[in-house]
Structure formats: structure tokens, C-alpha cells
Amino acid sequence: MIKKESSNVMRKIRHTRVRNKIAGTSEVPRLNVFRSNNNIFAQIIDEKQTTLVSSSSVELKINNGGNVEGAKLVGADIAKKAKKAKITKVVFDRGGYLYHGRVKALAEAARENGLEF
């Protein structure tokens, strides 16, 4: 019988593979995304693994942060906070998730509000 790994284990393998190619610098930090069943989280991280700016559906007290609308609000919020921190360009790190649904909504909302990637 073929043993299938859990989807989260496979996501972590994909994320490791992506992280070998993507690295944030102090000039162009990386925008990392984590999504759970109920919430979505975004962080802007520099090369020293220091979080410069963060936002989440928990922090914004969104009723249902596990949907596309919640992801759009988090994307807009992270872009506004990044502007205040004088960050205009980032590298997008999708965290091993498919660029689809909530991850895509967060990325597009961040772009619409001034982040470049």
C-alpha cells in the first residue's frame, strides 16, 4: 500500500524548496504568507530573519478571516504598514501554498495598495 504524506508535510517540503531560491534582503525583504483554516497571516521579513512588519486576520479582528475577503483586508493592511516602514519592494513567498484563492487575493490586495513584487 502506498503511504500518502499529509498535505501540510508536503507544503513544508514545497516551502523549503521555494526558500532555497527566495531570500529577502534589507533593500528587498520577503513577504511571507501563512494560512490556517480560520485565519491568514502575513509578515515582511529581512535577511536576518527579523520581522519588520506583520498583519493578520486575528490582529484585524475579522470575523471570518479564513476567506478571500479576509485575505484582501490583510493584504491591504500589510501594504499600508509597509509604506509607513518605507518598504516599497518585496519578494513574495507563498509559503508552499498554491498561488490561488486566499494567497492570490492577499497578493493582489498588497499590489493594489502600493507594494511592488
Side-chain angles (χ1 to χ4, degrees), residues 49-74:
Q49 306 301 317
T50 305
T51 301
L52 305 173
V53 179
S54 68
S55 181
S56 70
S57 56
V58 175
E59 179 185 319
L60 296 175
K61 295 186 175 131
I62 299 170
N63 255 354
N64 190 0
N67 61 12
V68 173
E69 295 303 317
K72 287 180 184 176
L73 294 173
V74 172

Side-chain angles (χ1 to χ4, degrees), residues 72 75-76 92 99 101-115 117:
K72 287 180 184 176
F92 189 66
Y99 187 77
R102 289 188 280 164
V103 175
K104 183 177 180 182
L106 187 144
E108 289 177 350
R111 276 194 197 103
E112 288 171 5
N113 286 285
L115 273 182
F117 53 94

Side-chain angles (χ1 to χ4, degrees), residues 6-61:
S6 73
S7 59
N8 196 44
V9 169
M10 296 306 295
R11 179 194 71 82
K12 287 179 181 179
I13 291 168
R14 283 191 303 273
H15 190 207
T16 305
R17 197 167 52 230
V18 169
R19 286 286 290 121
N20 287 332
K21 299 171 187 167
I22 292 177
T25 64
S26 56
E27 296 83 33
V28 184
R30 75 183 159 98
L31 171 60
N32 184 36
V33 175
F34 175 76
R35 66 178 175 84
S36 67
N37 287 339
N38 298 324
N39 295 296
I40 191 158
F41 304 84
Q43 294 179 325
I44 296 180
I45 305 167
D46 67 359
E47 78 267 3
K48 297 173 191 163
Q49 306 301 317
T50 305
T51 301
L52 305 173
V53 179
S54 68
S55 181
S56 70
S57 56
V58 175
E59 179 185 319
L60 296 175
K61 295 186 175 131

Side-chain angles (χ1 to χ4, degrees), residues 52-53 80-87:
L52 305 173
V53 179
K80 288 173 189 168
K81 288 180 178 180
K83 272 187 187 177
K84 285 182 185 174
K86 298 180 181 170
I87 300 169

